[in-house]
């Protein structure tokens, strides 16, 4: 390793990947990325967007915007699947066990995602941005899922 260059921590590395994954989002309100990791290996990724074969909000508009639905409310009024849900579905589709894994996500999961995360056996969550859904934090705490608010590191010359 060259002098003066530092490597990001594993947590920073995976959080940076969530930001890249979020760039695939087709949501008009918020781009979210999720990465499921176990033993420092990426098992699955997900971003928020419409189900396969369905039109995306970037193509047909946002129902939640038209109805003026606040963030964190009425999740059923959305074409998109959340990033965390897509990552869990991707793992199941590929037959990859995520029991005991860690989820890295650009945003704190909502209550619906929290329930899926708990039942999927994910044990730890790193998130960068808050989300307006207090029930999520209550469910995760009750189920013993460790939730860590990630503070970006000073990269000090790291790529």
């Amino acid at each position: 390793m060259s002098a003066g260059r530092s490597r990001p921590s594993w947590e920073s590395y995976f959080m940076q990947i969530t930001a890249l994954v979020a760039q695939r989002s087709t949501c008009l309100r918020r781009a979210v990325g999720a990465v499921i990791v176990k033993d420092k290996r990426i098992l699955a990724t997900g971003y928020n967007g419409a189900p396969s074969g369905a039109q995306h909000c970037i193509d047909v508009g946002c129902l939640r915007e038209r109805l003026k639905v606040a963030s964190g409310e009425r999740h059923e009024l959305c074409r998109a699947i959340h990033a965390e849900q897509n990552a869990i579905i991707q793992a199941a589709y590929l037959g990859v066990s995520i029991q005991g894994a860690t989820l890295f996500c650009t945003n704190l999961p909502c209550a619906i995602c929290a329930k899926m995360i708990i039942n999927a056996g994910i044990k730890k969550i790193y998130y960068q941005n808050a989300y307006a859904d207090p029930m999520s934090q209550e469910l995760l705490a009750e189920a013993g899922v460790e939730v860590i608010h990630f503070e970006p590191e000073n990269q000090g010359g790291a790529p």
Side-chain angles (χ1 to χ4, degrees):
M1 184 180 297
S2 63
R5 182 175 172 260
S6 62
R7 297 171 69 191
S9 67
W10 283 108
E11 292 81 8
S12 181
Y13 170 73
F14 292 125
M15 284 303 293
Q16 288 176 45
I17 293 171
T18 66
L20 181 61
V21 171
Q23 291 179 24
R24 291 283 307 154
S25 170
T26 59
C27 178
L28 295 169
R29 294 179 115 187
R30 174 182 292 131
V32 180
V35 176
I36 300 174
V37 175
K38 191 171 184 180
D39 299 326
K40 298 179 183 162
R41 288 174 173 63
I42 295 172
L43 303 178
T45 64
Y47 56 86
N48 52 333
S52 297
Q55 291 184 307
H56 292 282
C57 298
I58 58 172
D59 299 320
V60 298
C62 178
L63 176 62
R64 294 173 61 81
E65 283 293 322
R66 284 196 300 272
L67 297 176
K68 299 183 182 356
V69 177
S71 181
E73 297 178 9
R74 305 289 313 271
H75 297 288
E76 74 279 7
L77 295 176
C78 182
R79 299 184 68 79
I81 298 172
H82 287 187
E84 305 91 324
Q85 294 169 355
N86 264 329
I88 291 168
I89 292 165
Q90 182 185 82
Y93 187 84
L94 297 172
V96 176
S97 173
I98 56 175
Q99 185 175 5
T102 298
L103 172 75
F104 290 83
C105 197
T106 55
N107 293 77
L108 180 68
C110 71
I112 294 168
C113 290
K115 291 182 263 187
M116 291 180 71
I117 288 163
I118 292 163
N119 279 1
I122 292 171
K123 297 299 179 193
K124 187 184 290 188
I125 299 170
Y126 286 90
Y127 74 95
Q128 194 158 354
N129 302 308
Y131 189 71
D133 191 344
M135 180 183 241
S136 166
Q137 293 176 346
E138 293 169 19
L139 288 167
L140 293 166
E142 187 177 332
V145 176
E146 185 177 0
V147 178
I148 300 163
H149 180 229
F150 178 81
E151 297 287 344
E153 301 169 356
N154 178 356
Q155 292 301 307

